[in-house]
Amino acid sequence: MLEIRNLHVTVDGKEILKGIDLDVAAGEVHAIMGPNGSGKSTLSYVLAGREGYEVTEGSIRFNGKDLSEMGVDERAAAGIFLAFQYPLEIPGVTTMTFLKTALNAQRKARGEEELDAVRFLKLVREKAKPLNVNDDMLKRALNVGYSGGEKKRAEVLQMSLLEPALAVLDETDSGLDIDALKTVADGVNALRSPERSMIVITHYQRLLDYIVPDVVHVLSGGRIVKTGGKELALELEKSGYAGYGADAA
Amino acid sequence: MAAVRETVETVGEVEKYKYGFFTDIESEKAPLGLTEDTVRFISAKKNEPAWLLEWRLAAFRRWLTMTEPTWAKVSYPPIDFQDAYYYSAPKQQAKLDSLDQVDPKLLETYEKLGIPLTEQKMLAGVAVDAVFDSVSVVTTFKEKLAEAGVIFCPMSEAVAKHPELVKKYLGSVVPTSDNFYATLNSAVFSEGSFVYIPEGVRCPMELSTYFRINEKQTGQFERTLIIAEKGSYVSYLEGCTAPQRDENQLHAAVVELVALDDAEIKYSTVQNWFPGDEEGKGGVYNFVTKRGDCRGANSKISWTQVETGSAITWKYPSCILRGDNSRGEFYSIAISNGRQQVDSGTKMIHLGRNTTSRIISKGISAGKSSNTYRGLVSVHRKAENVRNFTQCDSLLIGSKCSAHTVPYVETKNPSAVLEHEATTSKISDDQLFYCMQRGIGEEEAVALIVNGFCRDVLQQLPMEFAVEAQKLVGISLEGSVG
Ligand SMILES: Nc1ncnc2c1ncn2[C@@H]1O[C@H](COP(=O)(O)OP(=O)(O)OP(=O)(O)O)[C@@H](O)[C@H]1O
Ligand SMILES: [Mg+2]
């Protein structure tokens, strides 16, 4: 699904990622942990194709295709989804409108039929219910005045509606109370399938109790410094990143 | 409201200036230029009574003494008023009694504009008066309106059939001496719509006029007059387009609204005159005077405008709040792209007691355009307990455009409470990235964000036009990013 080779990324002239190698096979869930400023969000932005994140060396292949030639919206239509660490507010655009615009844009890009209002409404309600997102919230402007937890739930709702092939969740657990954490984890788990891969970026082992990863990586100073099974997360919880050359700053 | 929200996704699909075609149709014109003879020619063409000719001539003589206003933040080469035609009419057989007699080419034009002058609009509950260059082509659904006692007809017909009403109200809101362009209009106005809603009547359908400038070098000077008698209600919409031309076309309209006791007039405009090309060549000069007079107590006038076209827009739909407890509203979306220049806003003149007004202005500038909000809130000495709320939001797209807000306030009564809020924002790269990460293309993302920005105003439009307006927002911003 995803093959990252010797990836070097520069932001504003500063090298942030310094040679990342990462393989995520279809159906796998990889967790990425690491100290603040180590480059986790940077990696997610590069996958999404954000402007200003310059790949100076190495490559990213997604389902065999070189991503470097694809624009942000093309990558999205190809199935890359990023749940933002800090979701953006879009004043005056209801969550419902936003979701419909996004879904139909992707369907159109893939040559599929666009959903009409009725079918869309049915679908969105179906996806929203398990995430405790009610109609009231869907009618509000996207992320405007949403609490931290509501924003994260809205991100997961977008993911379940868009059904991406590769989902990158950037600290989707931070700021969630324990019930919301469970709701969100259930939402994510419901999407786990042999065709879908996930990269879960988190600071907390707790999330990984709910979303059990196949592989755990430690990203530090722009490099993956350790890779292991889910027990690695437990280890980190106890001993911190001290032993992994946490030189990010 | 549902339609407003649900239609965003169609935004990207409509091509650039789809109204830029020209209809090859034989026309009859006044001689080039403007003299007393031109005024007489127009008046004679319209078989006008002597009083109206005199009224025009007085305006013309006045106009000769006036100079063009220069206070607006717009710049353009001097206009040669002698190098234009002031009257142009599609040639056709005498008088039209039904749609079948209209030149099929004309009907085709309106079809292209998306205005079928047929039963379709009836189903939509809209009565349409279509003005092609200087004459009104046909007014639909006259009978249905007549049953309700509503008069909706071309101005020239109103002059012939309802002279007492025209005489009483014409120029009573915008006097012939009001300003350079209004005075010019008074001298040479050639068409426009006349609406009269009798006492206590709620107009059974939306009334709508589509204006189209077709002929080369032809100015359009329509004059619209709407009178809402006591306790009546009417919602009126005008739409405007023009063919794509290299030279500038002049449009100087006057709209007068009169609302008597307890009456309400809702006036909406979707203006999409040709804006000129990217280099600023061509486009319509839109110098318009629109004013509503809340003459009666508890009356209400509400202006809603979506301005996306024209090379230059000079327009300040205003309310004179004369009647006690009357209310004026101004909701505006003004979009400028390319080299467009917009100087627009409103005047709320509070004369009566307990009068209230509300101004919501959304200015969007892109490309190398300039977008100015200019507004006046004035409170007369005797106007007790006046309330005004003004909100002016500007949104900038790119770094070569500009936005300006020029609010004037004159208060002569200390009991007035006036609130003013203003914001300026940019579409952030972060917002665009976020939308695009969800698969939305860049231009559609801009349209989505801008439609969100304009939402408060779009919601004021009659439903069937809100859809059109939303699409226009998207079209007019094409090419504004990247
Ligand atoms: N525009 C920029 N210019 C310079 N440095 C930047 C820029 N954007 C990000 N960085 C730096 O890149 C580094 C990695 O940032 P990133 O957001 O990827 O970290 P992170 O691992 O996600 O951290 P956190 O756990 O706090 O979310 C940080 O040191 C950050 O300051
Ligand atoms: Mg981060």
Side-chain angles (χ1 to χ4, degrees), chain B residues 335-357:
Chain B
I335 299 182
S336 55
N337 196 1
R339 304 247 177 189
Q340 282 176 276
Q341 304 174 59
V342 178
D343 193 301
S344 184
T346 185
K347 287 188 263 184
M348 293 291 173
I349 314 291
H350 293 262
L351 303 178
R353 281 171 299 162
N354 306 316
T355 50
T356 56
S357 60

Side-chain angles (χ1 to χ4, degrees), chain B residues 176-458:
Chain B
T176 49
S177 58
D178 193 77
N179 70 72
F180 183 85
Y181 298 107
T183 306
L184 173 63
N185 173 288
S186 302
V188 301
F189 77 87
S190 35
E191 206 39 276
S193 291
F194 176 84
V195 176
Y196 177 82
I197 316 290
E199 187 168 337
V201 170
R202 203 181 157 86
C203 187
M205 53 180 82
E206 298 272 347
L207 302 182
S208 163
T209 301
Y210 270 83
F211 293 105
R212 169 99 181 147
I213 305 177
N214 190 57
E215 274 302 308
K216 199 171 170 168
Q217 266 182 295
T218 301
Q220 182 151 333
F221 306 92
E222 78 271 2
R223 185 139 194 143
T224 295
L225 176 57
I226 300 179
I227 301 141
E229 284 281 7
K230 289 180 182 172
S232 67
Y233 169 86
V234 63
S235 170
Y236 180 92
L237 183 127
E238 59 170 2
C240 329
T241 62
Q244 209 152 338
R245 292 192 176 285
D246 287 349
E247 84 272 2
N248 297 103
Q249 289 166 295
L250 179 63
H251 176 249
V254 170
V255 175
E256 297 178 278
L257 312 182
V258 179
L260 299 173
D261 289 357
D262 303 301
E264 179 176 349
I265 302 174
K266 195 171 154 61
Y267 193 104
S268 313
T269 304
V270 175
Q271 184 264 113
N272 186 28
W273 297 117
F274 180 53
D277 66 13
E278 289 93 85
E279 274 79 56
K281 199 156 189 270
V284 170
Y285 289 170
N286 196 29
F287 300 105
V288 172
T289 305
K290 292 183 168 177
R291 198 171 300 153
D293 190 352
C294 284
R295 212 164 276 184
N298 308 311
S299 57
K300 180 177 168 187
I301 288 178
S302 158
W303 298 99
T304 303
Q305 59 172 25
V306 179
E307 302 278 323
T308 63
S310 296
I312 294 175
T313 302
W314 181 98
K315 179 182 174 188
Y316 314 90
S318 304
C319 296
I320 300 168
L321 303 164
R322 204 184 299 275
D324 290 346
N325 311 314
S326 62
R327 178 168 175 83
E329 292 175 345
F330 174 74
Y331 298 102
S332 170
I333 296 171
I335 299 182
S336 55
N337 196 1
R339 304 247 177 189
Q340 282 176 276
Q341 304 174 59
V342 178
D343 193 301
S344 184
T346 185
K347 287 188 263 184
M348 293 291 173
I349 314 291
H350 293 262
L351 303 178
R353 281 171 299 162
N354 306 316
T355 50
T356 56
S357 60
R358 182 176 162 86
I359 299 170
I360 310 280
S361 162
K362 306 276 181 176
I364 298 108
S365 9
K368 292 179 179 156
S369 67
S370 154
N371 203 322
T372 301
Y373 168 82
R374 189 182 302 277
L376 167 68
V377 177
S378 153
V379 181
H380 191 262
R381 191 168 45 82
K382 289 180 182 156
E384 291 291 334
N385 296 320
V386 163
R387 297 279 181 279
N388 163 266
F389 174 75
T390 300
Q391 186 180 329
C392 293
D393 297 324
S394 307
L395 185 70
L396 299 166
I397 302 173
S399 54
K400 296 196 182 89
C401 55
S402 62
H404 316 270
T405 303
V406 191
Y408 303 92
V409 176
E410 295 169 3
T411 322
K412 301 215 173 77
N413 185 310
S415 67
V417 179
L418 313 179
E419 284 176 80
H420 183 97
E421 287 175 12
T423 65
T424 301
S425 51
K426 289 196 87 158
I427 293 188
S428 75
D429 291 344
D430 289 355
Q431 279 177 322
L432 275 182
F433 171 62
Y434 185 77
C435 294
M436 291 174 73
Q437 207 301 304
R438 299 308 187 234
I440 304 169
E442 188 166 30
E443 293 203 325
E444 196 178 358
V446 169
L448 183 72
I449 293 168
V450 171
N451 269 307
F453 174 78
C454 299
R455 188 164 174 228
D456 302 350
V457 176
L458 287 171

Side-chain angles (χ1 to χ4, degrees), chain A residues 48 50 72-73 76 80-82 84 88-89 91-94 97-98 100-102 105-106 142-143 155 158, chain B residues 5-6 8-9 13 428-431 433-442 444 448-449 451-453 455:
Chain A
R50 185 172 194 165
V72 178
D73 49 331
I80 294 180
F81 179 89
L82 170 59
F84 283 58
L88 275 293
E89 298 183 359
V93 178
T94 64
T97 300
F98 184 83
K100 188 170 176 219
T101 308
Q106 292 202 11
L142 182 65
N143 292 327
E155 291 291 290
Q158 294 183 45
Chain B
R5 279 195 246 103
E6 296 301 340
V8 173
E9 75 272 12
E13 293 167 12
S428 75
D429 291 344
D430 289 355
Q431 279 177 322
F433 171 62
Y434 185 77
C435 294
M436 291 174 73
Q437 207 301 304
R438 299 308 187 234
I440 304 169
E442 188 166 30
E444 196 178 358
L448 183 72
I449 293 168
N451 269 307
F453 174 78
R455 188 164 174 228

Side-chain angles (χ1 to χ4, degrees), chain B residues 66-78:
Chain B
M66 297 168 92
T67 47
E68 291 175 68
T70 51
W71 42 262
K73 202 172 161 44
V74 293
S75 67
Y76 52 92

Side-chain angles (χ1 to χ4, degrees), chain A residues 11-12 14 16 34-42 53 85 171 203:
Chain A
V11 184
D12 273 340
K14 186 179 161 202
I16 309 290
N36 294 133
S38 57
K40 302 182 296 295
S41 294
T42 302
Y53 288 71
Q85 183 173 1
E171 297 197 24
H203 286 293

